[in-house]
Amino acid sequence: MTVSVQTETVKEQFSGYVKKMNDFKEASGLMAWDLRTGAPRKGAKQRSEVLGTLSSEVFAMSTSEEMKTMIDTLKEEEHWYKLDDITKKSVLEVEKTYNKIANVPPEEHKAYVILTSNAEVAWEQAKEKANFASFQPYLEKIVDYNRKYAEWVGYEGNKYNALLDDFEPGLTVDVIDSVFGKLKDNLVPLVKQITDSKNDPETGFLFSHFPKENQEAFSKQILGEMQYDFDAGRLDTTVHPFCIGLNPGDVRVTTKYDESDFRTAVFGTIHEGGHALYEQNISESLVGTPLAGGTSMGIHESQSLFWENFVGRHIGFWTRYYQDLKSVAGGSFDSVDLHSFFRAINVAGPSLIRIEADELTYCLHIIARYELEKALINEELEVRDLPEAWNNKMDELLGVRPSHDGEGVLQDVHWAGGMFGYFPSYALGYVYAAQLKAAMLNDLSNFDELLEQGNLKPVKEWMTEHVHQHGKMKEPLEILKDVTGSGVDPDYLIGYLSDKYKTIYELKD
Amino acid sequence: MTVSVQTETVKEQFSGYVKKMNDFKEASGLMAWDLRTGAPRKGAKQRSEVLGTLSSEVFAMSTSEEMKTMIDTLKEEEHWYKLDDITKKSVLEVEKTYNKIANVPPEEHKAYVILTSNAEVAWEQAKEKANFASFQPYLEKIVDYNRKYAEWVGYEGNKYNALLDDFEPGLTVDVIDSVFGKLKDNLVPLVKQITDSKNDPETGFLFSHFPKENQEAFSKQILGEMQYDFDAGRLDTTVHPFCIGLNPGDVRVTTKYDESDFRTAVFGTIHEGGHALYEQNISESLVGTPLAGGTSMGIHESQSLFWENFVGRHIGFWTRYYQDLKSVAGGSFDSVDLHSFFRAINVAGPSLIRIEADELTYCLHIIARYELEKALINEELEVRDLPEAWNNKMDELLGVRPSHDGEGVLQDVHWAGGMFGYFPSYALGYVYAAQLKAAMLNDLSNFDELLEQGNLKPVKEWMTEHVHQHGKMKEPLEILKDVTGSGVDPDYLIGYLSDKYKTIYELKD
């Protein structure tokens, strides 16, 4: 006998269930923010227990029999056609998570959580002492798990696709190889050209003393100009700046102030502000569903990079705001003209450390990591050979070679945290940003003038209309297709970087 | 067939279960703190949803079949004798909650939560317009619920005992009537004496401009001197100061700064600091159990009042710290000697508003509320007659009469929030504090000198040993008995207040 259920009944049960999961995640998010912004040291251990409890709860709910039954029921023909689009997409979203997690043996998952937690501690010590050997056993186990994980969750084509899907759904090794190949072909020679050009901008004045309070005031001004809503967020200080969206009405940004280099705060704030605009402007209709977040790491990064570089390092932007910056810089820039300032903040060149890299070389740092982790997952490279492979890759792409592993293979926490498949998103974000910028110019052909006028509202509104509001209702490639009419296309980024840096470094074609 | 279970198995299940409830409460606590200290306005609505989800979860867990089964199993003879004291007390604690809540019809409980939530809004408007009539229908329903609640949960003797038990377990109307009766008999004439004395201290200088930053620095200094651990807490600013203990390693205090009256911040911070010392020093062994909190509202208040008045308004304390205060007061107190300062901060006299009342008259404000709410619950007074009864009571106890209900019956939020049975705790806190102080003198006969030396550590340690560490392992009356050898005894408070105020107001015996 089939028991017939009302669609509305299951739908309500499902909505309540995913809302509860969201609520637990929001509570966790606030605790994470608090731990980084000023929670008392002695309470941290117990706070981690609470975070553990909430995340176990969410994990259990994601993989419960109840969840499975709701998904299966809603997907039955008699119910499915009655559902609204948001509910349909929500069902598909949680189903995807369910299918993945349900294939991972729970005891392996649990051991992995403990492993990566310990590995992060080991990594920190290894990095400090530039001692890869002490971290190697952890990384071997982590790579081993990720190889198995790919098999558990399944993939088509390259094994690495299984991992990519967790961060950039829809993207594959084939596409990325082609995109990153073109980037390499064009950026490697361009970097060499500027290195050889001897036209490095003068940058000494960038390191003049700039009072923290004034940096904070300027950072807040720029956030406001970007249309960041301070009634739906706040700006705090942390060692590692970040943005966290708790709900669209509460999206918090942090930054840090270096009195000897104002760029850390100013460009860092604009970057995190770009992430924040995304989270603040997700449609209210998605709140409480699994769709109320950025659709992928890459699209998220396209937003932060768009604002940081395509706006914040644009000559038009500083045509409007350089005077404001000067007025709070304590006289440091009084003798520096706009053009010199603009060249200085766009200084570029090969370097060893990713997070200190400039707009031009950043993608090459990412490509190096991508190629290495793809080889690791496909068993074409073993962890013991990784440091040497890293150094060779840096040499090949950037012409620099780390003198020790602390400034080489040990510099990033991602692998210690088990985040394989994440790195490509950073470079894809650049590629997306350049594509979005090109599409934006079709609607806002006066983009340069808007920046010169400090009229950033139309720019933000364009991003809200085309990207922000949709949350996870659209996949990354869907957004790209709808906005630009095409797939991932690195030509826009290549064109943008070539034009910009040939001008700044006065290169001959 | 009886299925036999291992004691250890049920015990572990129980511990995990109550730990999870605690973790949910800690997450809620952080969200509540955040909402009051700086959460963005637009995120508040969704944050309330999250708070609602967590509190429903805790409520459901408190009253679940699973909880009932664990309690019943652990209380079986074969298991009970094997349990450690902490587990036994934990079982009794959750059983008490279970038995209460299980007797309340769920639909009545739910309606009451909504009622009080609406009533608080109605109260705020009513207070502003001094219009009792608009609040009366809400209060009638709230009183009606509390009358029924007392029947549901049961009581011995007076019906009001059922409500008292939620805030001050073990205390009864018989005891409180006797204690409050003695207080009235002694304080009413004493207040009259000082009013008639014409020896009011000069207080004008208290209202001199005192920069906020300096108040903050001084408040932090004093918190530190009290042995408040800043590695296990932090001080923030809010409209209504409070203390919240998330876990013993994270106990946060807030205060507010009035540049025209430094007393708000200084005595407010000391008061909340007293609460905080309690929560910071609960034994680590109780963390994760239902016992890791103050044992009652009254004992909690004894801690805040002890520090605020018995320490903070003591001549010895200012012998040591007056110079420090002066040095940051911007010259305001330069011509004020210690004695005049001491008299000024101890000014007393009848007033209309409880939260502005001084140490001497405060208890009379509480007694008025106690007598009225006891009459309401016992159906000896009806809500419609409450304003008149309030005014008469104020006249009788303090010799003052409100000119409108905004400064009379509508001044406190407690009844709107449904907190009947809470008020007595404030006065009991004073009574306990005086008893604890007397017991402390047996061990620390040099109490006055310790204060003069600014050596507050032995004072804090005495409180930790006798009160703080026990959390809810001991009932309020158990603490009192163990420390002082007796029950609630108002003679100590009466003696302390008589001595102090007769000196300050230079009364003849």
Side-chain angles (χ1 to χ4, degrees):
Chain A
M1 196 188 85
T2 308
V3 180
S4 142
V5 286
Q6 294 283 322
T7 304
E8 268 311 308
T9 311
V10 200
K11 195 187 136 184
E12 260 173 43
Q13 187 200 350
F14 175 76
S15 300
Y17 195 86
V18 295
K19 179 184 175 300
K20 188 165 154 183
M21 287 171 66
N22 266 2
D23 286 348
F24 285 162
K25 284 185 200 167
E26 180 164 332
S28 300
L30 182 67
M31 287 190 286
W33 172 85
D34 183 67
L35 276 173
R36 299 205 225 168
T37 52
R41 186 173 62 75
K42 291 185 181 172
K45 198 169 145 275
Q46 167 57 18
R47 190 63 36 80
S48 303
E49 293 280 324
V50 181
L51 278 168
T53 296
L54 286 171
S55 93
S56 302
E57 203 66 18
V58 170
F59 184 85
M61 290 179 78
S62 308
T63 55
S64 70
E65 270 309 303
E66 191 180 351
M67 178 64 109
K68 174 77 177 140
T69 307
M70 287 186 296
I71 293 169
D72 290 347
T73 309
L74 287 170
K75 287 194 80 180
E76 280 165 16
E77 224 168 294
E78 56 170 317
H79 300 304
W80 187 252
Y81 80 95
K82 291 190 209 157
L83 300 179
D84 57 281
D85 288 348
I86 292 176
T87 305
K88 279 182 180 165
K89 183 73 181 167
S90 297
V91 172
L92 297 177
E93 181 72 19
V94 298
E95 183 188 34
K96 191 174 164 184
T97 308
Y98 180 90
N99 286 340
K100 272 195 187 169
I101 302 182
N103 286 316
V104 177
E107 65 286 359
E108 296 261 12
H109 173 81
K110 199 176 165 189
Y112 185 62
V113 170
I114 296 165
L115 169 63
T116 51
S117 168
N118 293 330
E120 287 192 34
V121 179
W123 164 78
E124 213 166 309
Q125 291 164 354
K127 181 185 176 184
E128 206 180 298
K129 295 182 184 157
N131 176 10
F132 183 77
S134 69
F135 178 54
Q136 185 179 322
Y138 293 94
L139 190 54
E140 280 168 350
K141 289 196 191 102
I142 289 171
V143 168
D144 188 50
Y145 175 89
N146 277 280
R147 287 168 178 171
K148 288 190 287 183
Y149 176 84
E151 299 298 339
W152 291 326
V153 305
Y155 55 89
E156 283 181 39
N158 197 292
K159 199 167 179 173
Y160 184 81
N161 288 341
L163 305 176
L164 267 179
D165 191 63
D166 283 349
F167 302 100
E168 211 55 31
L171 270 285
T172 60
V173 163
D174 286 350
V175 174
I176 295 182
D177 279 349
S178 150
V179 169
F180 285 7
K182 278 195 190 171
L183 285 177
K184 272 204 292 189
D185 292 347
N186 287 274
L187 297 184
V188 171
L190 183 57
V191 171
K192 189 154 179 4
Q193 263 186 295
I194 67 146
T195 311
D196 296 343
S197 76
K198 313 284 179 217
N199 286 331
D200 281 347
E202 168 59 41
T203 56
F205 60 85
L206 295 175
F207 307 99
S208 309
H209 181 82
F210 199 136
K212 180 184 169 306
E213 299 71 37
N214 297 4
Q215 290 190 40
E216 186 176 349
F218 186 75
S219 298
K220 285 192 172 164
Q221 181 198 340
I222 297 302
L223 275 182
E225 299 279 324
M226 289 168 66
Q227 313 294 307
Y228 174 80
D229 182 352
F230 278 97
D231 283 337
R234 48 184 283 169
L235 177 65
D236 294 89
T237 314
T238 52
V239 180
H240 302 288
F242 65 96
C243 162
I244 186 165
L246 300 167
N247 67 60
D250 188 351
V251 181
R252 304 179 183 198
V253 173
T254 75
T255 193
K256 71 172 171 184
Y257 302 101
D258 177 349
E259 295 203 319
S260 307
D261 191 346
F262 75 95
R263 293 176 302 174
T264 305
V266 170
F267 293 109
T269 306
I270 297 176
H271 181 97
E272 301 306 334
H275 284 302
L277 290 182
Y278 194 175
E279 297 281 331
Q280 281 189 338
N281 293 288
I282 287 169
S283 166
E284 275 293 328
S285 61
L286 301 178
V287 174
T289 76
L291 310 173
T295 190
S296 75
M297 301 313 300
I299 297 289
H300 234 304
E301 205 65 17
S302 79
Q303 297 306 300
S304 51
L305 291 171
F306 173 80
W307 285 97
E308 180 187 348
N309 293 318
F310 291 78
V311 175
R313 286 195 170 87
H314 188 289
I315 184 70
F317 180 83
W318 290 106
T319 302
R320 165 63 188 83
Y321 295 107
Y322 186 43
Q323 197 48 53
D324 292 353
L325 183 82
K326 264 178 154 171
S327 72
V328 292
S332 303
F333 304 147
D334 283 359
S335 62
V336 180
D337 64 30
L338 174 63
H339 182 67
S340 307
F341 177 80
F342 170 67
R343 291 190 73 229
I345 59 166
N346 282 293
V347 65
S351 63
L352 290 166
I353 307 297
R354 177 183 62 89
I355 58 168
E356 294 166 8
D358 53 75
E359 183 184 25
L360 176 61
T361 58
Y362 191 86
C363 287
L364 297 174
H365 288 265
I366 295 306
I367 293 169
R369 286 156 177 76
Y370 162 70
E371 294 183 351
L372 293 169
E373 66 179 29
K374 188 179 60 165
L376 283 169
I377 296 305
N378 284 292
E379 301 181 42
E380 294 155 4
L381 174 66
E382 290 308 321
V383 170
R384 62 175 173 275
D385 302 321
L386 183 61
E388 182 64 17
W390 178 287
N391 294 348
N392 293 340
K393 195 61 86 181
M394 288 301 284
D395 216 346
E396 174 197 333
L397 295 180
L398 284 152
V400 292
R401 203 172 177 93
S403 61
H404 59 76
D405 291 337
E407 58 182 25
V409 67
L410 288 171
Q411 68 183 264
D412 294 310
V413 70
H414 299 60
W415 290 339
M419 286 193 283
F420 279 83
Y422 185 116
F423 276 124
S425 301
Y426 290 117
L428 289 169
Y430 265 103
V431 172
Y432 299 160
Q435 290 184 260
L436 292 170
K437 164 73 192 297
M440 184 184 280
L441 282 181
N442 294 332
D443 299 321
L444 302 176
S445 57
N446 60 339
F447 179 82
D448 293 359
E449 282 161 52
L450 290 173
L451 264 51
E452 283 162 20
Q453 296 157 6
N455 185 4
L456 306 180
K457 201 173 173 195
V459 176
K460 180 260 158 187
E461 284 179 347
W462 189 94
M463 281 297 186
T464 294
E465 184 190 339
H466 293 93
V467 181
H468 303 160
Q469 62 165 327
H470 305 296
K472 287 185 206 277
M473 272 299 281
K474 291 187 179 185
E475 303 285 318
L477 292 178
E478 224 174 323
I479 287 185
L480 222 52
K481 181 87 186 168
D482 290 350
V483 182
T484 71
S486 74
V488 190
D489 185 346
D491 286 347
Y492 296 92
L493 180 62
I494 293 166
Y496 160 78
L497 290 173
S498 301
D499 290 350
K500 180 168 177 178
Y501 283 93
K502 282 183 178 169
T503 308
I504 290 171
Y505 279 81
E506 299 161 20
L507 307 180
K508 290 165 203 86
D509 271 320
Chain B
M1 195 188 81
T2 308
V3 180
S4 141
V5 287
Q6 294 285 321
T7 304
E8 269 312 305
T9 312
V10 200
K11 196 188 134 183
E12 261 173 42
Q13 187 201 351
F14 174 75
S15 300
Y17 195 87
V18 294
K19 178 185 175 302
K20 188 166 155 182
M21 287 171 65
N22 266 2
D23 286 348
F24 285 161
K25 284 184 200 167
E26 180 165 332
S28 299
L30 182 67
M31 287 190 287
W33 173 86
D34 183 68
L35 277 173
R36 298 204 226 169
T37 52
R41 185 173 61 76
K42 291 184 181 172
K45 195 168 147 278
Q46 166 57 18
R47 190 62 35 81
S48 303
E49 292 281 323
V50 180
L51 279 168
T53 296
L54 286 171
S55 93
S56 303
E57 203 66 19
V58 171
F59 185 84
M61 289 180 79
S62 309
T63 53
S64 71
E65 270 308 302
E66 193 181 350
M67 178 64 109
K68 174 76 176 139
T69 306
M70 287 186 296
I71 294 169
D72 289 347
T73 309
L74 287 170
K75 288 193 82 180
E76 281 165 16
E77 223 169 293
E78 54 170 320
H79 299 303
W80 187 252
Y81 80 95
K82 292 189 207 158
L83 301 179
D84 57 281
D85 288 348
I86 292 176
T87 307
K88 280 182 180 165
K89 183 72 181 167
S90 297
V91 172
L92 297 176
E93 181 72 19
V94 297
E95 184 188 33
K96 190 174 165 184
T97 308
Y98 180 91
N99 285 341
K100 272 193 185 168
I101 303 183
N103 287 316
V104 177
E107 66 286 0
E108 295 262 11
H109 173 81
K110 198 174 165 188
Y112 185 61
V113 170
I114 296 165
L115 169 64
T116 51
S117 169
N118 293 331
E120 286 192 35
V121 179
W123 163 78
E124 214 166 306
Q125 291 164 354
K127 181 185 175 182
E128 207 180 296
K129 295 182 183 157
N131 175 10
F132 183 78
S134 69
F135 178 55
Q136 185 178 323
Y138 292 93
L139 191 54
E140 279 168 351
K141 289 195 190 100
I142 290 170
V143 168
D144 187 50
Y145 175 89
N146 277 280
R147 287 169 177 169
K148 287 190 288 182
Y149 176 84
E151 299 299 338
W152 292 325
V153 304
Y155 55 89
E156 284 181 38
N158 195 293
K159 198 169 182 171
Y160 184 80
N161 288 341
L163 306 177
L164 266 180
D165 191 62
D166 284 349
F167 301 100
E168 211 56 28
L171 271 284
T172 58
V173 163
D174 286 350
V175 174
I176 295 183
D177 279 348
S178 150
V179 169
F180 285 6
K182 277 195 190 170
L183 284 177
K184 272 203 293 190
D185 291 347
N186 288 274
L187 297 184
V188 171
L190 183 57
V191 171
K192 186 152 182 1
Q193 262 186 296
I194 67 149
T195 311
D196 296 343
S197 77
K198 312 284 179 221
N199 286 330
D200 281 347
E202 168 58 40
T203 56
F205 60 85
L206 295 175
F207 308 99
S208 309
H209 181 81
F210 199 136
K212 179 184 169 307
E213 300 70 37
N214 297 4
Q215 291 190 39
E216 186 176 350
F218 186 76
S219 296
K220 284 191 173 167
Q221 180 197 342
I222 297 301
L223 274 181
E225 299 280 325
M226 289 168 66
Q227 312 295 306
Y228 174 80
D229 182 352
F230 277 97
D231 283 335
R234 49 184 284 169
L235 177 66
D236 294 271
T237 314
T238 51
V239 180
H240 302 288
F242 66 97
C243 163
I244 185 164
L246 300 167
N247 67 61
D250 189 351
V251 181
R252 305 180 182 197
V253 172
T254 75
T255 191
K256 70 172 173 184
Y257 303 101
D258 178 348
E259 296 202 319
S260 309
D261 192 347
F262 75 96
R263 294 176 300 175
T264 304
V266 169
F267 293 109
T269 306
I270 299 176
H271 181 96
E272 300 306 334
H275 284 303
L277 289 181
Y278 194 175
E279 297 281 331
Q280 281 190 337
N281 293 288
I282 287 170
S283 167
E284 275 294 326
S285 62
L286 300 179
V287 173
T289 75
L291 311 172
T295 192
S296 74
M297 301 313 300
I299 296 290
H300 234 305
E301 205 65 17
S302 79
Q303 297 305 299
S304 52
L305 292 171
F306 172 80
W307 285 97
E308 180 187 349
N309 293 320
F310 292 77
V311 176
R313 285 196 170 85
H314 187 288
I315 183 70
F317 180 83
W318 290 106
T319 303
R320 165 64 188 82
Y321 295 107
Y322 185 43
Q323 196 49 51
D324 292 353
L325 184 82
K326 263 179 155 171
S327 71
V328 293
S332 302
F333 303 146
D334 284 359
S335 62
V336 181
D337 65 27
L338 174 63
H339 182 68
S340 306
F341 177 81
F342 171 69
R343 290 189 74 227
I345 60 166
N346 282 294
V347 64
S351 63
L352 289 166
I353 308 295
R354 176 184 63 87
I355 59 167
E356 293 165 8
D358 54 76
E359 183 186 25
L360 176 62
T361 56
Y362 191 86
C363 288
L364 297 174
H365 288 265
I366 296 305
I367 293 169
R369 285 156 180 76
Y370 163 71
E371 294 183 350
L372 294 169
E373 65 180 28
K374 189 180 59 167
L376 283 168
I377 297 303
N378 283 292
E379 303 180 42
E380 293 155 5
L381 174 66
E382 290 307 321
V383 171
R384 63 175 174 276
D385 302 321
L386 184 60
E388 181 65 16
W390 177 286
N391 295 347
N392 292 342
K393 194 61 84 177
M394 288 300 284
D395 216 345
E396 173 195 334
L397 295 180
L398 285 151
V400 291
R401 203 173 176 93
S403 61
H404 58 77
D405 291 337
E407 58 181 24
V409 67
L410 288 171
Q411 68 182 265
D412 294 309
V413 70
H414 298 60
W415 289 340
M419 287 193 284
F420 278 82
Y422 186 116
F423 276 123
S425 300
Y426 290 116
L428 289 168
Y430 265 103
V431 172
Y432 298 160
Q435 290 184 261
L436 291 170
K437 164 74 191 297
M440 184 185 277
L441 282 181
N442 293 333
D443 299 321
L444 302 176
S445 56
N446 59 341
F447 179 83
D448 293 359
E449 282 160 53
L450 290 172
L451 265 51
E452 284 162 19
Q453 295 156 8
N455 185 5
L456 306 180
K457 200 173 173 194
V459 175
K460 178 259 160 190
E461 284 177 347
W462 190 94
M463 279 297 186
T464 294
E465 186 191 338
H466 292 94
V467 181
H468 302 159
Q469 62 166 329
H470 304 297
K472 289 184 204 275
M473 272 298 282
K474 292 186 179 184
E475 303 283 321
L477 291 178
E478 226 175 321
I479 287 185
L480 222 52
K481 181 85 187 170
D482 289 351
V483 182
T484 70
S486 74
V488 190
D489 184 346
D491 286 346
Y492 295 93
L493 180 62
I494 292 164
Y496 159 79
L497 289 173
S498 301
D499 290 349
K500 180 168 176 178
Y501 284 91
K502 281 182 177 168
T503 307
I504 289 171
Y505 280 81
E506 300 162 18
L507 306 181
K508 290 164 205 84
D509 270 319

